[in-house]
Each structure stands twice: as structure tokens, then as C-alpha cells.
Amino acid sequence: MKTRGTALNPHNRFQPIATDRQVDDGWYQDPEDTLCPDSVATEVTDERVRTIISRNRSPDVPFDQSINPYRGCEHACIYCFARPTHAYWDLSPGLDFETRLIAKPNAADQLRRELDRPGYRPATIALGVNTDAYQPVERERGITRQLLEVLLEYRHPVSIITKGGLILRDLDLLSELASQRLCSVRVSLTTLDNNLKRTMEPRTAAPATRLKVLRELSAAGVPTGIIMGPVIPFVNDHELERILEAAATAGAIRASWILLRLPLELDELFQDWLQRHFPQRADHVMARMRDLRGGKSYQSEFGKRMTGSGPYADLIRQRFNRQARAVGLNREPEPALRTDLFRRPGGEQLGLL
């Protein structure tokens, strides 16, 4: 079974010298595939960070600050919009992104320092945006759990997006946060097809496990929802109605969708994946993507990059909204998480924010 998203390692655009990483030098050995990505072990490097809370000013996302406990993601989703960020660390957005990870072991200590600063004012922190906070390495490192412990101690609001079943390990912390309206969880649910899941997002939890996550979190009082992201024309768009129905049945109360995004090196990686796994429909997929993106593979403009434009985008939006209403999702506006409970242990408490 292939457990890597890609065998490609495209050139880092910030490096002046390009090297051919696809030469068969004997490193990869497989009877049927001389470039077998399974032969590459995950390598984790520690980074002592000086800051942990990232600020965001994008009008396309519903949060202003976020925390990423890791750089890179072993889940290996071929479509991950965060892949190009690995180039900033002199690594490739391809195979390096999913095999050469960077962990932040002092993340919890740094979070305490930042929350203790006199000028800090609480606002919901999105945990796991450019990485999945519950990817496999978290089982051993436990950085995400340490962060949640700090957030609970400070009574600080947090929202989580994940594809990992490991989140249920932290049900005790999440339920306590949720009891004070300090937590919400979104599960990324892109397909109910196990075969498609294995090729598109190899090391993520199975669809059935993600539905289990929704059920158990919801039963514990944690507000849950799903993100159908990305919607990929002719690959998973036909599942839209079934995914929403399954999510609602599992206890989700909210849902949203995001169109496939192909920034920078991700365009090459995704098209290679298409040709390998869906050669007969690859041209149709990319033709539809260009229709949605003004003739290009990608548009970065705010307001368009998440959903695209044109008749297909309108059709997906109509289908999504109609089915969400039919199964009882998004019935009420989502209540904001509380910020008025924020306190600094042993110090100042901020109220009425």
C-alpha cells in the first residue's frame, strides 16, 4: 500500500541551484516502482521557536490568529495548500513536506509567554492550519495536547481543524473547554470512499473514523462541523450530498466547503497525481479548474481563491446550501467562542472583552 502522497520533490524556488531529485541512485527500491515513496522514513527536526501565535489578515478565513505545532504534515494530502510553505525552510513542497517535519517542542512554554504579555487581548486561536495538529507524529510528541492544557488553564478560546482520529485522545480537555464555550472542532471530510482516501490523503484517518470523531465529540458536548475541502471537479464533487448527510447523522451541526486551490508548486504536484491515478479524466479536471479560475490553474485574489467563479462554482454552492438545509446543518448562526473568561493564572484576569 502506498502511504505517501507524492514521489516528486520539485525544486525549492528560493534555491538558486536546482538538482535532479528523481535520479534512481538506489535509495528507493521496489520490484515494481524504482521511486517508491514508502521507502522514505519520516524525519523530525526540533525547532526552538521565538513566537508561536501567527497573525492573519485574510478576509477569507474566520480567524485572526493561529498556532501550528509542526511544520510539514505526515498526512500527505496531495492537495494541501500549505505544501509551498515548506520552501521557506529550504525544503521541497513535494515529498519533503510529508517526510521531513519540524516540531516545536517549546510551543507550550512560548504560548504561556505570549499570553502573559500585558498587551495581549484574547481572540480565538485556530489550532492546526498549515499543518494538522493531530498528524501521526503527535502521538509521540504530544505538543498539541500541551498547547490545549495551556489554553484550558488560561480559559482561552480555540478552534481546531483536523483529519486525525487522534483528537479523541484529548476528549477530556476538549469537553472541559467546550463546557465553557471555549472550543469548537471542524473535521475535514473530503470523501467517503476509502480507495480515494488512500490515494488522495494516504495517512489520514479513514472516513468512518472521522465520522466516529464527530459522533464522540458531539456526544461529549463539543460543537462540531465539517469542511468539505477541497471540492475537486470530477473527483469528489459527486459525493457532496452524501458527505453532508453522513456528517449530520454523526452529529455535526455546521458545514462549509472550499474549492481546490493550486498555488505555486502544488499545481505540478497535483497534476502529476491526476495523471497517475485518474489519467482518463485528468484533462477534464484541469479544464474545469481553469474555467473556475479565469483561465488559470489558480487565482489568489481574496473572495475568489476559496470558491472560484462561474457556473460550476454557483452550482456547487446551490447544491451545498440545498443539502445542508435538508439535513439540518447551519440552521443557526454560529455563536462566537467566549473571550471574557480569559485569565492569567496567578495574575491579571481580563473581563468584558
Side-chain angles (χ1 to χ4, degrees):
M1 178 188 298
K2 295 290 185 283
T3 58
R4 296 298 182 187
T6 182
L8 296 184
N9 239 7
H11 174 55
N12 179 343
R13 64 188 181 280
F14 297 111
Q15 290 286 351
I17 300 175
T19 57
D20 187 354
R21 303 185 183 207
Q22 299 303 312
V23 173
D24 182 4
D25 59 2
W27 181 254
Y28 307 112
Q29 291 296 329
D30 184 275
E32 298 180 356
D33 185 356
T34 58
L35 287 173
C36 176
D38 279 349
S39 64
V40 183
T42 301
E43 172 187 332
V44 183
T45 302
D46 284 353
E47 175 193 15
R48 307 293 295 185
V49 295
R50 296 183 179 180
T51 61
I52 193 62
I53 300 178
S54 299
R55 266 70 187 190
N56 164 70
R57 294 295 179 265
S58 169
D60 288 334
V61 293
F63 57 85
D64 296 322
Q65 49 187 18
S66 62
I67 292 178
N68 292 295
Y70 306 96
R71 304 189 196 277
C73 188
E74 200 174 6
H75 276 163
C77 304
I78 189 59
Y79 54 73
C80 182
F81 71 90
R83 281 182 178 271
T85 64
H86 231 44
Y88 291 108
W89 313 108
D90 294 332
L91 297 169
S92 171
L95 191 57
D96 283 352
F97 178 79
E98 54 195 79
T99 62
R100 299 179 66 182
L101 310 181
I102 300 171
K104 305 175 183 180
N106 68 324
D109 290 338
Q110 182 58 39
L111 177 59
R112 287 181 182 276
R113 284 191 285 271
E114 295 183 28
L115 297 183
D116 281 339
R117 289 173 182 165
Y120 180 80
R121 291 295 181 267
T124 298
I125 289 175
L127 183 55
V129 178
N130 277 354
T131 187
D132 196 312
Y134 287 103
Q135 61 181 291
V137 68
E138 167 64 16
R139 189 176 301 278
E140 296 179 2
R141 302 305 295 269
I143 298 173
T144 297
R145 184 172 177 87
Q146 294 169 17
L147 290 167
L148 288 175
E149 288 171 344
V150 172
L151 293 169
L152 177 57
E153 184 179 357
Y154 282 70
R155 296 181 184 172
H156 193 290
V158 59
S159 63
I160 300 172
I161 303 171
T162 187
K163 299 182 181 75
L166 183 58
I167 190 173
L168 292 178
R169 177 202 64 186
D170 296 337
L171 190 58
D172 57 334
L173 299 175
L174 297 173
S175 60
E176 177 62 23
L177 284 161
S179 71
Q180 302 176 64
R181 214 175 83 199
L182 294 172
C183 178
S184 65
V185 174
R186 295 288 185 273
V187 173
S188 178
L189 190 58
T190 51
T191 182
L192 300 177
D193 183 334
N194 282 313
N195 291 326
L196 178 58
K197 198 285 306 184
R198 279 191 289 268
T199 61
M200 188 166 64
E201 24 185 61
R203 296 195 174 195
T204 60
T209 300
R210 295 185 219 182
L211 294 174
K212 176 185 176 182
V213 166
L214 289 170
R215 285 194 298 271
E216 296 199 13
L217 288 176
S218 298
V222 180
T224 62
I226 68 159
I227 299 174
M228 186 176 176
V231 174
I232 307 175
F234 309 119
V235 175
N236 70 342
D237 55 349
H238 64 285
E239 294 189 70
L240 188 153
E241 284 80 7
R242 291 197 303 120
I243 287 173
L244 292 178
E245 181 178 10
T249 300
I253 57 177
R254 306 203 64 80
S256 58
W257 66 280
I258 300 173
L259 183 68
L260 175 67
R261 299 167 54 190
L262 296 176
L264 302 168
E265 296 93 342
L266 189 53
D267 191 7
E268 174 189 357
L269 292 167
F270 182 77
Q271 291 202 50
D272 172 76
W273 178 84
L274 271 180
Q275 291 293 342
R276 285 187 290 113
H277 295 284
F278 299 100
Q280 294 180 332
R281 68 181 87 163
D283 290 343
H284 296 292
V285 173
M286 293 311 302
R288 179 55 55 84
M289 287 304 301
R290 286 187 285 271
D291 287 342
L292 287 160
R293 302 293 190 185
K296 303 176 182 178
S297 295
Y298 182 58
Q299 284 179 305
S300 60
E301 293 94 330
F302 292 143
K304 295 182 179 179
R305 59 181 184 151
M306 298 294 195
T307 58
S309 58
Y312 176 84
D314 292 340
L315 177 61
I316 292 296
R317 185 177 298 105
Q318 292 167 12
R319 287 175 55 196
F320 186 93
N321 291 339
R322 181 174 61 248
Q323 181 68 352
R325 286 193 300 269
V327 298
L329 294 167
N330 302 334
R331 283 182 173 174
E332 302 290 338
E334 184 173 14
L337 298 179
R338 296 185 68 173
T339 58
D340 60 304
L341 299 179
F342 179 75
R343 65 178 183 182
R344 296 184 174 96
E348 174 192 3
Q349 178 170 343
L350 300 181
L352 301 178
L353 295 175

